[in-house]
Amino acid sequence: MMEEVDLSDQPRQRVNSDNLSSEVDETPDPRIQVELERLNTSTDTINKLEVDLDEARMLFRQLLADSTHRIDILAKRLGKCVEQSRPYYDARINAKQALRETQAAAVRYERAMSQHAAAREMVFLAEEGLMQKGCVFDHTWQEMLNHATSKVNDAEREKIESAAEHRRTSALYHEAETRVKALQKELKRAIAKSRPYFELKSAVNQQLEAQKQQVRQLEESVARAKVTYAQALSNLETISDEIHRTRQCQLDLGVRGIGVGAESPLPPLQTIDGGLPLPTHPLHYAESSLETNTQEFKSLPGKLGPVAAPIMATG
């Protein structure tokens, strides 16, 4: 099993095939090289992205500190007008948020209207299909009609809810706009004097938001690179386990191959007077030879001549 690698925010070392020499054969699995390339590429990417991420975070903190210092200095220089005009700018922010919600509600209502019209068209087509069939019940068209009717009901509910949401957000937006206009007339002088402060604050907020977005993107890129790194490492571990299992199977087969037949050894031999070994049990080849001789004997002629008579040994 390969060693588990830490995925924390630390510089990662590149890996080469020599690091896995004990895990592979003389002809390594081609998948190992592929996963090593993925692992090393991910390592380089993670190291680079983490450096960029640290720099982006440092820049964000620096921007935040500098902008806060500049805004505080400007607020002290402008005096009370900043706090006096703040309700007006807060009302403008609320009106802008209400406008976005109203626009989203309008889009939702338009989508509901479109879905409702499409569902009613489906009902019309299904009803026409059933009318063309006459009195004969057609399961396909009936199922289509039921489905279209259900769609119409859902679209009708969505249309009613989206219309109510649009009315609510529209009322809030008009209320917010009315408050903005009232405050603008009431705090006209303070608004004019404090304008540099709020313009600077708006510009700073845009810079900070852009830098924050860059930090988020780098964090997501680092996370994706770490996922690729972990997948490559997991694949290498899987390949290593497969190689170990294959080697173990080969070793097991080799041990069993050497001992084939050892479970049934030859029986001990006995000797006759002449010193020749005689098995205690007849062997298979002896039985085959006996059967052959018996067949040959049966094929001999009925009478043997003197030539065929056996020679008897003299004492």
Side-chain angles (χ1 to χ4, degrees):
M1 181 71 65
M2 295 181 60
E3 184 180 359
E4 184 176 355
V5 178
D6 184 18
L7 295 179
S8 60
D9 295 338
Q10 297 179 356
R12 289 163 174 75
Q13 302 293 329
R14 292 177 62 86
V15 183
N16 53 46
S17 57
D18 296 337
N19 301 125
L20 302 175
S21 58
S22 62
E23 302 289 338
V24 298
D25 299 328
E26 295 181 357
T27 57
D29 193 315
R31 295 176 297 171
I32 292 179
Q33 188 62 32
V34 174
E35 296 303 331
L36 283 178
E37 288 296 329
R38 288 184 63 198
L39 195 68
N40 290 330
T41 301
S42 301
T43 299
D44 296 340
T45 302
I46 291 171
N47 292 336
K48 179 182 180 303
L49 288 174
E50 286 182 342
V51 171
D52 295 342
L53 180 59
D54 291 339
E55 293 178 354
R57 287 171 174 167
M58 186 183 302
L59 181 57
F60 177 80
R61 290 191 292 267
Q62 184 178 355
L63 282 173
L64 181 60
D66 293 345
S67 60
T68 302
H69 181 66
R70 291 166 56 196
I71 289 173
D72 290 343
I73 291 176
L74 185 57
K76 290 179 181 179
R77 183 168 63 85
L78 293 175
K80 296 180 180 179
C81 65
V82 173
E83 292 302 323
Q84 290 175 350
S85 61
R86 192 178 297 278
Y88 164 75
Y89 289 99
D90 291 342
R92 286 185 57 180
I93 293 174
N94 293 334
K96 190 175 181 179
Q97 178 64 26
L99 177 60
R100 285 196 293 265
E101 293 178 358
T102 302
Q103 292 172 344
V107 171
R108 178 187 174 189
Y109 178 71
E110 291 177 358
R111 186 184 302 114
M113 289 287 291
S114 176
Q115 292 176 350
H116 185 262
R120 287 176 61 90
E121 183 68 19
M122 287 181 60
V123 169
F124 176 74
L125 293 175
E127 289 176 347
E128 273 196 342
L130 281 175
M131 289 176 62
Q132 290 176 0
K133 291 293 182 179
C135 297
V136 180
F137 178 79
D138 188 275
H139 179 73
T140 303
W141 283 105
Q142 185 66 40
E143 185 177 354
M144 180 179 175
L145 179 60
N146 294 336
H147 180 70
T149 304
S150 176
K151 284 287 186 180
V152 168
N153 295 333
D154 294 341
E156 184 71 25
R157 284 193 297 268
E158 176 65 16
K159 187 180 73 169
I160 295 173
E161 292 176 2
S162 61
E165 179 69 12
H166 184 262
R167 286 192 298 269
R168 185 186 69 83
T169 54
S170 297
L172 291 176
Y173 170 68
H174 289 303
E175 182 181 347
E177 276 292 309
T178 302
R179 178 169 174 76
V180 167
K181 291 177 181 179
L183 289 172
Q184 186 177 12
K185 183 181 296 187
E186 178 184 351
L187 305 171
K188 185 176 182 180
R189 188 173 180 180
I191 292 170
K193 289 179 64 177
S194 63
R195 186 180 300 276
Y197 171 85
F198 288 99
E199 287 179 349
L200 175 62
K201 190 172 182 180
S202 177
V204 166
N205 287 337
Q206 290 179 1
Q207 291 179 352
L208 290 174
E209 187 61 32
Q211 188 62 29
K212 188 187 295 184
Q213 183 65 26
Q214 185 177 0
V215 170
R216 290 197 199 98
Q217 291 175 354
L218 287 171
E219 288 175 344
E220 292 173 358
S221 299
V222 169
R224 287 193 297 268
K226 285 184 177 181
V227 169
T228 303
Y229 180 91
Q231 289 175 347
L233 186 62
S234 176
N235 292 340
L236 282 172
E237 292 177 348
T238 301
I239 295 171
S240 175
D241 292 342
E242 291 178 1
I243 291 174
H244 279 302
R245 286 195 296 268
T246 302
R247 283 183 171 182
Q248 190 62 42
C249 290
Q250 291 175 350
L251 290 174
D252 293 343
L253 289 174
V255 171
R256 287 197 296 269
I258 294 174
V260 169
E263 294 81 5
S264 57
L266 292 175
L269 300 180
Q270 297 179 356
T271 57
I272 56 178
D273 295 339
L276 295 175
L278 179 66
T280 57
H281 299 285
L283 300 179
H284 296 292
Y285 72 85
E287 296 175 359
S288 176
S289 176
L290 179 60
E291 292 176 358
T292 305
N293 291 337
T294 303
Q295 296 295 332
E296 290 179 356
F297 174 77
K298 290 180 180 180
S299 64
L300 291 177
K303 296 181 179 180
L304 297 177
V307 179
I311 301 175
M312 304 299 292
T314 58

